[in-house]
C-alpha cells in the first residue's frame, strides 16, 4: 500500500503540473498565446490583470491570477520597426493539496515592417523565465496514517516526500504575420512553441518527468461594420502530449462615444468556446484607455453531470496608453497594433 500511495501521489503531481494555465478571455493575455503577440496593440504601454475561479461546484475551487505588462517602442525615431518588452506573471492554486504554480516570464519581441503602404509586419518573440511548482504536504493523507480505520494526522507518514517545492527554467518562442486588406480589415496568423527546453517537473529527485512541448497556432481577424461597429474573431489550436484542443469565438463591438481612434467608449459582447469543454459568454466595457471584461464558463464536458454545467467566473482589467517619449508610436503612420 505504501508503494501504491506514493505512485498515486506522483501521478497526481505530474498531471496537475502538466496542465498549462489557460484563461477563457485568452485574447486579453496574448503573451500566454504567443510571445510574438507582445506589443500588438494601439499604444506604447499595456497592463492586463486577470482573476479566475473555477470548479467551486465540484471541489475546492481552482484559483488563478495573471498580470501582463507590455511596452513597445520603435527601433529608431524614423523607423517603422518596433521592439516590445514584457513580463508575464501567473499564479495558480488547485485542489485540497494547494498544488500551485507561479511563473515569472520576461518577454522580448521584434516587429519587422514588410510594407511601405500598410501595417504588414512579421514578428518574432521569445519568452523565458523561472517557474515554481509547490504543494502543501500537510494537506495530504496516506494509508499508513490510518489507525484502526481512522485517519490520525499526528501519525507520521513513511512516504518519501523529497520536496514540496521545485523551481525550473521554462521557455517559449513564437512567430506572427499580421497585415491589413484595407483600412477596416486586419488579420494575423502565427505559431508558437512552449516548453521547448523540456524542463523536468518531478517533485521526486529520482524521477525524470519531462513537461511536454506545446505547439500553438493562433489567428484572428477584425473588421469594421459601419462607423461605430466592428467584429473581431479569435481562434487558437494547441497540441501537447498527444492532447489536442481548439478554442475560439467572436466579439461584437459597438462604440458609444467615438471622438477619434484613441478616444472611444465602447461595449463588446460575444461568446467563446473551448471545444468539448465549455461555452463562454463574454461582455467587455472599454472606457477610453481602461477595459473591463467579465466571462463565465458553462461546462459542456463529461464533467457537466457533476458540475451541473457550472464552470467559473473570470474578470479581466486592462489599461493601455501612449507615453511621452521620443520613440512613441503615437505619431507613427504604421504600427503593429493588430486590433
Amino acid at each position: 500500500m505504501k508503494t501504491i500511495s506514493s505512485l498515486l501521489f506522483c501521478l497526481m503531481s505530474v498531471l496537475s503540473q502538466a496542465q498549462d494555465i489557460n484563461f477563457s478571455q485568452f485574447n486579453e493575455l496574448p503573451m500566454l498565446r504567443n510571445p510574438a503577440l507582445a506589443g500588438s496593440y494601439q499604444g506604447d504601454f499595456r497592463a492586463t490583470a486577470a482573476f479566475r475561479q473555477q470548479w467551486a461546484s465540484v471541489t475546492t475551487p481552482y484559483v488563478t491570477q495573471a498580470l501582463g505588462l507590455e511596452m513597445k517602442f520603435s527601433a529608431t525615431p524614423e523607423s517603422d520597426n518596433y521592439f516590445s518588452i514584457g513580463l508575464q506573471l501567473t499564479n495558480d492554486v488547485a485542489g485540497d493539496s494547494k498544488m500551485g504554480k507561479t511563473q515569472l516570464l520576461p518577454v522580448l519581441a521584434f516587429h519587422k515592417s514588410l510594407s511601405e503602404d500598410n501595417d504588414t509586419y512579421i514578428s518574432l518573440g521569445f519568452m523565458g523565465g523561472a517557474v515554481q511548482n509547490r504543494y502543501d504536504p500537510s494537506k495530504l493523507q496516506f494509508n499508513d496514517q490510518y489507525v484502526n480505520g481512522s485517519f490520525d494526522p499526528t501519525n507520521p507518514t513513511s512516504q518519501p516526500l523529497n520536496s514540496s517545492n521545485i523551481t525550473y527554467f521554462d521557455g517559449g518562442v513564437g512567430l506572427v504575420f499580421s497585415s491589413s486588406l484595407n483600412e477596416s480589415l486586419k488579420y494575423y496568423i502565427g505559431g508558437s512553441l512552449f516548453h521547448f527546453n523540456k524542463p523536468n517537473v518531478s517533485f521526486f529527485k529520482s524521477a525524470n518527468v519531462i513537461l511536454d512541448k506545446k505547439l500553438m497556432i493562433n489567428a484572428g481577424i477584425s473588421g469594421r461594420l459601419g462607423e461605430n461597429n466592428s467584429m473581431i474573431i479569435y481562434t487558437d489550436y494547441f497540441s501537447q502530449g498527444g492532447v489536442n484542443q481548439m478554442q475560439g469565438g467572436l466579439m461584437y463591438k459597438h462604440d458609444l462615444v467615438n471622438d477619434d481612434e484613441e478616444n472611444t467608449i465602447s461595449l463588446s459582447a460575444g461568446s467563446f468556446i473551448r471545444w468539448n469543454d465549455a461555452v463562454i459568454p463574454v461582455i467587455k466595457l472599454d472606457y477610453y484607455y481602461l477595459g473591463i471584461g467579465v466571462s463565465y464558463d458553462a461546462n459542456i464536458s463529461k464533467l457537466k453531470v457533476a458540475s451541473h454545467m457550472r464552470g467559473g467566473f473570470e474578470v479581466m482589467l486592462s489599461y493601455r496608453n501612449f507615453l511621452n517619449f521620443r520613440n512613441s508610436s503615437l505619431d507613427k503612420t504604421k504600427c503593429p497594433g493588430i486590433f
Side-chain angles (χ1 to χ4, degrees), residues 19 21 34 103 138 183 189 193 224 231 247 269 288 318:
Q19 298 177 8
I21 292 172
N34 189 326
Q103 301 181 111
S138 67
E183 292 184 358
I189 185 169
L193 180 65
R224 299 292 300 183
M231 182 174 291
Q247 61 186 13
Y288 299 110
S318 63

Side-chain angles (χ1 to χ4, degrees), residues 111-123:
H111 310 275
K112 171 65 177 176
S113 176
L114 302 180
S115 173
E116 296 181 356
D117 301 320
N118 61 12
D119 293 341
T120 299
Y121 283 85
I122 187 77
S123 303

Side-chain angles (χ1 to χ4, degrees), residues 215-230:
L215 175 66
M216 292 192 69
I217 305 298
N218 326 104
I221 185 169
S222 69
R224 299 292 300 183
L225 304 175
E227 184 177 354
N228 295 314
N229 301 294
S230 60

Side-chain angles (χ1 to χ4, degrees), residues 10-211:
C10 183
L11 178 60
M12 291 174 62
S13 301
V14 172
L15 291 176
S16 297
Q17 298 303 335
Q19 298 177 8
D20 283 354
I21 292 172
N22 187 44
F23 286 87
S24 294
Q25 298 175 67
F26 58 91
N27 56 302
E28 299 290 347
L29 290 165
M31 292 183 290
L32 290 177
R33 303 172 64 204
N34 189 326
L37 288 173
S40 296
Y41 56 90
Q42 294 295 325
D44 297 324
F45 171 81
R46 177 167 65 179
T48 306
F51 176 84
R52 175 182 180 83
Q53 180 173 288
Q54 190 174 16
W55 305 128
S57 63
V58 180
T59 182
T60 302
Y62 289 30
V63 178
T64 310
Q65 305 102 4
L67 176 64
L69 304 173
E70 303 166 74
M71 184 174 176
K72 177 176 61 185
F73 51 92
S74 60
T76 66
E78 297 79 19
S79 175
D80 291 323
N81 302 323
Y82 291 85
F83 285 99
S84 296
I85 56 175
L87 182 64
Q88 183 64 67
L89 297 93
T90 67
N91 184 65
D92 183 57
V93 179
D96 293 331
S97 67
K98 305 299 181 183
M99 186 74 74
K101 172 186 284 189
T102 299
Q103 301 181 111
L104 181 64
L105 303 172
V107 178
L108 175 64
F110 177 69
H111 310 275
K112 171 65 177 176
S113 176
L114 302 180
S115 173
E116 296 181 356
D117 301 320
N118 61 12
D119 293 341
T120 299
Y121 283 85
I122 187 77
S123 303
L124 176 66
F126 173 80
M127 169 188 288
V131 180
Q132 180 198 61
N133 291 348
R134 64 197 177 278
Y135 68 93
D136 184 352
S138 67
K139 302 297 183 180
L140 299 175
Q141 298 181 11
F142 294 93
N143 61 291
D144 57 356
Q145 292 179 288
Y146 283 80
V147 179
N148 297 323
S150 299
F151 176 72
D152 183 1
T154 64
N155 189 33
T157 179
S158 60
Q159 303 303 323
L161 304 180
N162 299 79
S163 175
S164 61
N165 189 313
I166 60 171
T167 302
Y168 56 89
F169 175 85
D170 197 8
V173 64
L175 188 69
V176 170
F177 174 81
S178 59
S179 187
S180 57
L181 299 179
N182 50 52
E183 292 184 358
S184 62
L185 189 64
K186 298 181 180 181
Y187 68 93
Y188 70 92
I189 185 169
S192 53
L193 180 65
F194 293 91
H195 320 307
F196 64 79
N197 58 312
K198 299 189 294 185
N200 182 4
V201 297
S202 174
F203 287 108
F204 292 83
K205 296 179 180 180
S206 59
N208 189 30
V209 181
I210 300 301
L211 183 57

Side-chain angles (χ1 to χ4, degrees), residues 277-299:
D277 184 36
V279 175
I280 309 155
V282 183
I283 187 169
K284 182 184 180 186
L285 173 66
D286 287 292
Y287 188 82
Y288 299 110
Y289 296 110
L290 182 67
I292 302 174
V294 179
S295 65
Y296 183 80
D297 286 20
N299 179 238

